[in-house]
């Protein structure tokens, strides 16, 4: 079964030895890699649980969460386009998920109430540590595409981690004003004040983008530019220098034009597979409250990408 619809939930456990216990909701959801990511870990931990995909229509997330709980689901991942709607539908929302404006993980309490979390931000911090052996909080960061969902989650994490500089760049500048306002509150403490604003916003076409990239240590692409094999780099990659760390949240294709060009420039580069992995592992930690076999999850998703 590639995915279920809400109408099919009553038949969820017919013809299956393992009970459906975890689910990803989205639309479309057919291509979500979450089952391939989570199932190997659930099997290894002998949870006797199945991880399924469920297609949910826009404006039906609240009902879907209730129906899934009634159908015996213990935890839900939320993907595009439902992350904001899920935030609004949860009984409680973790404060950082609130600032990120998105929930990607739902945990049910014993009484059936649900709490929403966002593991994209913390998962990104873990990914940066794994890829580059540095703490995100020690880096001057520029986020290209900070107005999108992933960009906002990562920007929030940078503020939470107290990065010395966070530059938010986006094609549509207007989306960045409310984000800057939210994030400034996080770091608006006397002891963190410096000669310039720690959080700056920039139009992608602003001529000072080159200098902003030059002054950064970590460059993160959260735009969708690169998803198509023929896509260009989202900014001129000859601006990148060997001292830069470059993280592209895209993992398919494995090497975007940006990553290929930046590697040629001598920079250290990584793709979004580690983010996918760590945000998933964090969800599982919330649900199971135990250590997770991370390498099995990595293998699972890598195999799925080869198919
Ligand atoms: P979301 O992540 O919220 O679903 P999205 O539409 O997938 O959003 O876009 C993610 C990011 O990619 C956004 O920052 C978007 O810029 P805008 O806010 O200006 O739309 C960015 N993006 C998409 N296509 C782009 C392009 N051709 N050039 C530059 N940025 C682009």
């Amino acid at each position: 079964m590639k995915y279920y619809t809400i109408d099919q939930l009553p038949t969820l456990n017919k013809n299956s030895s393992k009970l459906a216990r975890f689910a990803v909701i989205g639309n479309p959801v057919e291509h979500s890699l979450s089952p391939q990511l989570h199932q190997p870990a659930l099997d290894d931990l002998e949870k006797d649980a199945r991880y399924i995909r469920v297609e949910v229509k826009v404006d039906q997330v609240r009902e879907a969460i209730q129906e899934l709980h009634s159908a015996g689901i213990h935890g839900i991942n939320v993907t595009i386009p439902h992350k904001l709607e899920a935030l609004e539908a949860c009984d409680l929302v973790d404060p950082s998920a609130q600032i990120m404006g998105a929930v990607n993980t739902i945990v049910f309490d014993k009484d059936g109430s649900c709490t929403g979390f966002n593991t994209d931000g913390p998962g990104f911090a873990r990914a940066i540590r794994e890829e580059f052996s540095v703490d995100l909080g020690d880096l001057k960061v520029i986020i290209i595409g900070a107005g999108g969902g992933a960009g906002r989650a990562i920007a929030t994490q940078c503020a939470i981690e107290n990065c010395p500089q966070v530059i938010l760049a986006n094609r549509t500048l207007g989306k960045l004003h409310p984000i800057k306002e939210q994030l400034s509150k996080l770091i608006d403490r006397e002891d963190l004040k410096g000669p310039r604003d720690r959080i700056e916003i920039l139009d992608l076409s602003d001529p000072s983008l080159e200098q902003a990239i030059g002054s950064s240590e970590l460059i993160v692409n959260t735009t969708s530019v690169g998803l198509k094999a023929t896509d260009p780099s989202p900014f001129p990659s000859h601006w990148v220098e060997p001292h830069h760390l470059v993280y592209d949240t895209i993992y398919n294709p494995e090497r975007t034009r940006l990553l290929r060009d930046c590697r040629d420039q001598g920079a250290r580069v990584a793709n979004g597979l580690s983010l996918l992995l760590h945000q998933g592992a964090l969800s599982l930690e919330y649900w199971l409250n135990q250590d997770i076999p991370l390498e099995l999850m990595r293998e699972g998703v890598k195999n799925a990408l080869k198919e």
Side-chain angles (χ1 to χ4, degrees):
M1 193 79 169
K2 268 198 162 314
Y3 65 91
Y4 294 87
T5 59
I6 294 294
D7 301 342
Q8 292 168 330
L9 291 187
T11 65
L12 211 54
N13 292 314
K14 273 192 189 152
N15 309 323
S16 174
S17 55
K18 272 185 213 155
L19 294 180
R21 290 295 187 206
F22 301 96
V24 56
I25 61 170
N27 198 341
V29 75
E30 185 178 347
H31 298 294
S32 166
L33 292 175
S34 291
Q36 293 98 319
L37 184 65
H38 289 275
Q39 195 65 54
L42 291 170
D43 292 346
D44 183 66
L45 296 169
E46 298 182 359
K47 291 295 172 190
D48 200 21
R50 206 150 48 92
Y51 189 108
I52 59 165
R53 303 182 186 93
V54 181
E55 186 184 87
V56 172
K57 294 196 177 99
V58 170
D59 288 334
Q60 292 189 2
V61 171
R62 189 182 296 273
E63 294 83 338
I65 293 172
Q66 279 163 5
E67 303 248 358
L68 284 163
H69 183 254
S70 305
I73 294 293
H74 291 173
I76 303 175
N77 278 135
V78 184
T79 188
I80 289 166
H82 296 322
K83 292 185 182 187
L84 172 61
E85 214 186 315
L87 182 146
E88 288 162 350
C90 282
D91 300 302
L92 285 172
V93 176
D94 173 70
S96 51
Q98 196 85 53
I99 298 169
M100 290 172 195
V103 154
N104 78 335
T105 303
I106 296 175
V107 180
F108 288 109
D109 254 339
K110 285 199 183 75
D111 65 0
S113 65
C114 60
T115 305
F117 296 89
N118 191 315
T119 63
D120 288 330
F124 178 72
R126 285 194 185 182
I128 292 302
R129 169 130 282 285
E130 176 187 301
E131 298 284 4
F132 302 125
S133 309
V134 285
D135 283 330
L136 177 61
D138 290 335
L139 297 171
K140 293 182 183 169
V141 185
I142 182 163
I143 300 162
I144 311 291
R152 183 168 169 177
I154 288 172
T156 305
Q157 193 65 30
C158 290
I160 291 170
E161 306 265 338
N162 247 326
C163 290
Q165 167 207 289
V166 189
I167 301 177
L168 313 176
N170 206 50
R171 178 179 60 179
T172 314
L173 187 66
K175 290 191 188 172
L176 297 180
H177 293 294
I179 301 176
K180 181 182 177 185
E181 200 176 309
Q182 281 277 354
L183 299 193
S184 298
K185 284 186 210 151
L186 281 181
I187 57 170
D188 192 17
R189 297 189 344 227
E190 275 313 312
D191 55 325
L192 296 178
K193 286 233 163 83
R196 26 184 291 217
D197 277 359
R198 280 193 167 198
I199 298 176
E200 293 173 35
I201 60 173
L202 209 55
D203 194 306
L204 258 194
S205 59
D206 193 308
S208 65
L209 185 68
E210 178 175 3
Q211 197 229 327
I213 285 177
S215 73
S216 302
E217 291 158 327
L218 172 65
I219 305 167
V220 188
N221 176 43
T222 56
T223 73
S224 44
V225 182
L227 278 175
K228 282 190 255 126
T230 51
D231 276 351
S233 172
F235 60 87
S237 29
H238 63 264
W239 292 348
V240 170
E241 294 172 37
H243 72 85
H244 280 121
L245 309 174
V246 183
Y247 193 93
D248 197 332
T249 52
I250 295 171
Y251 53 83
N252 192 14
E254 190 180 351
R255 288 278 173 252
T256 56
R257 179 69 191 264
L258 171 70
L259 291 191
R260 280 183 277 131
D261 287 357
C262 292
R263 200 176 39 189
D264 290 347
Q265 294 289 114
R268 289 166 68 195
V269 304
N271 76 8
L273 192 78
S274 44
L275 169 56
L276 175 70
L277 174 69
H278 286 288
Q279 61 78 32
L282 276 160
S283 295
L284 218 43
E285 285 176 25
Y286 273 124
W287 297 327
L288 304 180
N289 226 344
Q290 68 181 108
D291 285 343
I292 302 300
L294 193 68
E295 292 316 312
L296 288 180
M297 295 182 80
R298 193 192 311 273
E299 215 177 291
V301 79
K302 276 190 170 171
N303 288 339
L305 283 168
K306 275 188 221 145
E307 280 165 13

